[in-house]
Amino acid sequence: MLSPQHIFLDYLLKNKMAATEQRRVVLEVFLDADEHWSCEQLYLEVIKKDSTISSATVYRTVKLLVESGVAEQLCFGDGVLRFEPRFNRPHHDHFVCINCKNKIDVVDERIEKLQQCLAEKHGFLLTRHKMILYGICSDCRKK
Amino acid sequence: MLSPQHIFLDYLLKNKMAATEQRRVVLEVFLDADEHWSCEQLYLEVIKKDSTISSATVYRTVKLLVESGVAEQLCFGDGVLRFEPRFNRPHHDHFVCINCKNKIDVVDERIEKLQQCLAEKHGFLLTRHKMILYGICSDCRKK
DNA sequence: GTTATTGCAAAGGCTTTGCATGGGG
DNA sequence: CCCCATGCAAAGCCTTTGCAATAAC
């Protein structure tokens, strides 16, 4: 399987875009993200590696990451778009604790299959999905 | 079962808020929404009934609708928050066509049950969830 | 009458964009 | 060398907020 770096560079090449140092830095920092980062958070990490990179470039590069399929855009409803790598980790859904705001990755193969069935039943060609479960996590329930 | 109107007025009463004409109009227009409306769309409908109502009031009232449980906030990732009534219709999830942008309501009881199981398996207390399926709808597939 | 609510306009936060400069192919 | 990508700052978009006027209770 191709690496995210390879996929992204391929995408740039195919679209006659330059593989600039800034884009490489943003990609590397993004792939290290173990959370669902906003562009702002990503920018704050990026300038630790290269303080001359502007937030505009981060926003522009993140768009390219999404277009190339390396990043997935998430929307938890808090007014900020968030992003996560699509390739370093398998597909998963999200549980968001409405108390402590913690976000945990979850996955259930049976649900995945039923989503496919549901789509087919309606004649849809399912390309991707997002599922967010809201509630109270086990830690917060104990308190 | 209580009507949305009743629930909303109860909520206002309990929180010592006034049942103003503006709030009543926004609620009525909102309940007629057969789509997932943004505040902007809702505002455009509201001023057809009363052109003196400001968009600020619509934004403020929609927040109250969510807090009272009459409205549910949705986030399809297009930079706008959308809302839909929670009481005129049963719970459902969404299918979004990435081609024609049409949004269709779907529901699958087996998925609902598995979501509960999945939450329990992780010790979560599940209060609600959102599931959005992205793909190409049957109409667009024919073209 | 007192207090909450409104409309207006201005400000806010996040994101995009125009433009001149600088770097990649 | 040409053109794309960048940084900067300004603008855009959706949403919130401060304030004086107004209406609800």
Side-chain angles (χ1 to χ4, degrees), chain B residues 21-50:
Chain B
E21 183 58 23
Q22 287 92 331
R23 287 178 178 162
R24 262 187 281 263
V25 171
V26 172
L27 173 64
E28 285 314 312
V29 172
F30 172 72
L31 291 175
D32 278 344
D34 55 341
E35 271 188 77
H36 318 102
W37 281 359
S38 64
C39 283
E40 174 71 14
Q41 291 173 300
L42 194 59
Y43 168 66
L44 292 176
E45 287 302 310
V46 163
I47 55 175
K48 287 181 187 171
K49 290 203 170 185
D50 182 344

Side-chain angles (χ1 to χ4, degrees), chain A residues 40-131:
Chain A
E40 174 71 12
Q41 291 173 300
L42 194 59
Y43 168 65
L44 292 176
E45 288 301 311
V46 163
I47 55 176
K48 287 181 187 171
K49 291 204 170 186
D50 181 345
S51 62
T52 68
I53 296 179
S54 70
S55 67
T57 295
V58 173
Y59 276 98
R60 283 190 274 235
T61 306
V62 166
K63 267 203 155 177
L64 298 179
L65 292 175
V66 172
E67 287 167 19
S68 68
V70 169
E72 178 168 9
Q73 181 178 297
L74 301 172
C75 192
F76 292 120
D78 58 346
V80 193
L81 291 177
R82 296 175 183 281
F83 303 87
E84 68 173 21
R86 284 188 63 198
F87 285 93
N88 277 358
R89 44 172 76 179
H91 163 76
H92 55 267
D93 296 301
H94 299 278
F95 177 86
V96 180
C97 178
I98 56 176
N99 187 47
C100 68
K101 313 295 179 194
N102 250 352
K103 296 167 189 74
I104 301 158
D105 297 341
V106 295
V107 70
D108 186 314
E109 278 311 321
R110 294 169 299 175
I111 293 178
E112 305 285 319
K113 276 183 193 147
L114 286 172
Q115 287 167 334
Q116 271 296 345
C117 292
L118 182 59
E120 281 164 21
K121 207 176 80 184
H122 287 84
F124 302 148
L125 185 63
L126 188 62
T127 55
R128 66 183 204 280
H129 72 266
K130 292 174 189 176
M131 186 173 79

Side-chain angles (χ1 to χ4, degrees), chain A residues 75 128 130 132 134 136, chain B residues 75 125 127-128 130 132 134:
Chain A
C75 192
R128 66 183 204 280
K130 292 174 189 176
I132 308 174
Y134 295 91
I136 302 172
Chain B
C75 192
L125 185 63
T127 55
R128 67 184 202 280
K130 292 173 188 177
I132 309 174
Y134 295 91

Side-chain angles (χ1 to χ4, degrees), chain B:
Chain B
M1 182 166 170
L2 293 170
S3 69
Q5 288 87 346
H6 205 115
I7 291 167
F8 186 53
L9 293 179
D10 256 19
Y11 174 81
L12 295 178
L13 197 64
K14 276 180 191 150
N15 291 276
K16 297 187 179 63
M17 292 169 164
T20 63
E21 183 58 23
Q22 287 92 331
R23 287 178 178 162
R24 262 187 281 263
V25 171
V26 172
L27 173 64
E28 285 314 312
V29 172
F30 172 72
L31 291 175
D32 278 344
D34 55 341
E35 271 188 77
H36 318 102
W37 281 359
S38 64
C39 283
E40 174 71 14
Q41 291 173 300
L42 194 59
Y43 168 66
L44 292 176
E45 287 302 310
V46 163
I47 55 175
K48 287 181 187 171
K49 290 203 170 185
D50 182 344
S51 63
T52 68
I53 296 179
S54 70
S55 65
T57 295
V58 172
Y59 276 97
R60 284 190 274 236
T61 306
V62 166
K63 269 203 154 178
L64 298 179
L65 292 174
V66 172
E67 288 167 19
S68 68
V70 168
E72 179 168 9
Q73 181 178 296
L74 301 172
C75 192
F76 292 118
D78 58 346
V80 194
L81 291 177
R82 295 176 182 280
F83 303 88
E84 69 173 22
R86 285 188 62 199
F87 285 93
N88 277 357
R89 44 172 75 181
H91 163 77
H92 55 269
D93 296 299
H94 297 96
F95 178 86
V96 180
C97 179
I98 57 177
N99 187 48
C100 68
K101 313 296 179 193
N102 251 352
K103 297 166 189 75
I104 301 158
D105 297 340
V106 294
V107 70
D108 186 315
E109 279 311 321
R110 293 169 299 174
I111 292 178
E112 305 284 319
K113 276 183 192 149
L114 285 173
Q115 287 167 334
Q116 272 295 344
C117 293
L118 182 60
E120 282 164 20
K121 206 175 79 183
H122 287 84
F124 302 148
L125 185 63
L126 187 63
T127 55
R128 67 184 202 280
H129 72 265
K130 292 173 188 177
M131 186 173 81
I132 309 174
L133 307 177
Y134 295 91
I136 301 172
C137 71
S138 52
D139 285 351
C140 288
R141 289 177 78 180
K142 289 172 193 156
K143 290 169 192 166

